[in-house]
Amino acid sequence: MDTSHSPYLPPGSNLDIPLMQSTKQYRKNLVPKWIKFFGWLFIVVGSLVPFVGIFSAISGIEGEFSFYGLQEKGSVLAFVPLLIIALFVAHAICAYGLLFGKSWGVISCLTLAYISTAICIFTMFSVGSGSIRLELLLLIPYIIKLHKIRKIWTSMPLDETTNHEEIQKQSL
């Protein structure tokens, strides 16, 4: 009889995640694919937006800036465009922390998600249109998912390799 097979795991076990792996790798596996997609999108856009802003400021070209309902047409050196650029950069930094399993990743993403939600709600009622911002349709499930993984994420030890099945049981 061939005994080279892996040990029996009961039904319902997650066979894709090995029991022993690095903390960073385990954290990366906690993030769902749809959040990874938007995370990489924010990393790319958040990295490029400052350069576009610098080019716009040097060349004097005016632009249209919009994010979470904040809108401005004109110079990049006005308050609202600078705020929008800062938000894109902040999203890129937070996405980096989440996608690369940094200890501060989930907390920073949750904080920025709440700030973004507040901006959306503020702009919905201050502009007077009363229409629901589409960004909220993604922010709400994003916040819910981050809260679900936060317990596991923050309870993980900082050592390099750990039995994560035990940590997951303790935090649930």
Side-chain angles (χ1 to χ4, degrees):
M1 179 185 252
D2 186 3
T3 59
S4 63
H5 297 308
S6 59
Y8 171 76
L9 293 173
S13 294
N14 189 347
L15 300 176
D16 297 333
I17 300 174
L19 296 179
M20 300 295 283
Q21 59 182 249
S22 74
T23 297
K24 283 186 179 182
Q25 186 59 44
Y26 189 77
R27 285 177 175 161
K28 289 178 186 180
N29 290 338
L30 290 173
V31 180
K33 289 179 182 172
W34 66 275
I35 292 178
K36 287 179 181 177
F37 171 78
F38 285 107
W40 279 108
L41 186 68
F42 274 115
I43 289 173
V44 170
V45 173
S47 300
L48 296 176
V49 164
F51 294 111
V52 172
I54 291 169
F55 173 76
S56 177
I58 292 172
S59 66
I61 298 173
E62 293 186 349
E64 290 187 35
F65 306 91
S66 178
F67 194 44
Y68 293 137
L70 298 171
Q71 296 179 348
E72 181 81 23
K73 184 176 182 179
S75 171
V76 71
L77 299 175
F79 174 72
V80 173
L82 289 175
L83 178 61
I84 290 171
I85 290 171
L87 282 170
F88 271 111
V89 171
H91 278 294
I93 292 168
C94 290
Y96 168 80
L98 188 68
L99 296 180
F100 287 88
K102 302 295 182 187
S103 60
W104 48 268
V106 169
I107 300 300
S108 64
C109 285
L110 272 170
T111 303
L112 191 56
Y114 281 120
I115 291 169
S116 302
T117 302
I119 292 171
C120 280
I121 292 170
F122 173 76
T123 58
M124 278 180 3
F125 294 109
S126 68
V127 175
S129 67
S131 62
I132 295 176
R133 302 276 324 156
L134 293 177
E135 293 96 333
L136 286 175
L137 297 177
L138 288 174
L139 280 169
I140 292 170
Y142 175 67
I143 289 170
I144 291 169
K145 184 60 180 176
L146 287 179
H147 273 290
K148 287 182 180 178
I149 65 174
R150 183 184 63 147
K151 279 184 175 180
I152 299 169
W153 191 287
T154 56
S155 68
M156 303 183 87
L158 297 176
D159 64 341
E160 212 35 51
T161 305
T162 297
N163 185 341
H164 297 291
E165 187 176 82
E166 291 301 318
I167 293 169
Q168 192 170 11
K169 284 179 186 177
Q170 291 171 359
S171 62
L172 295 176

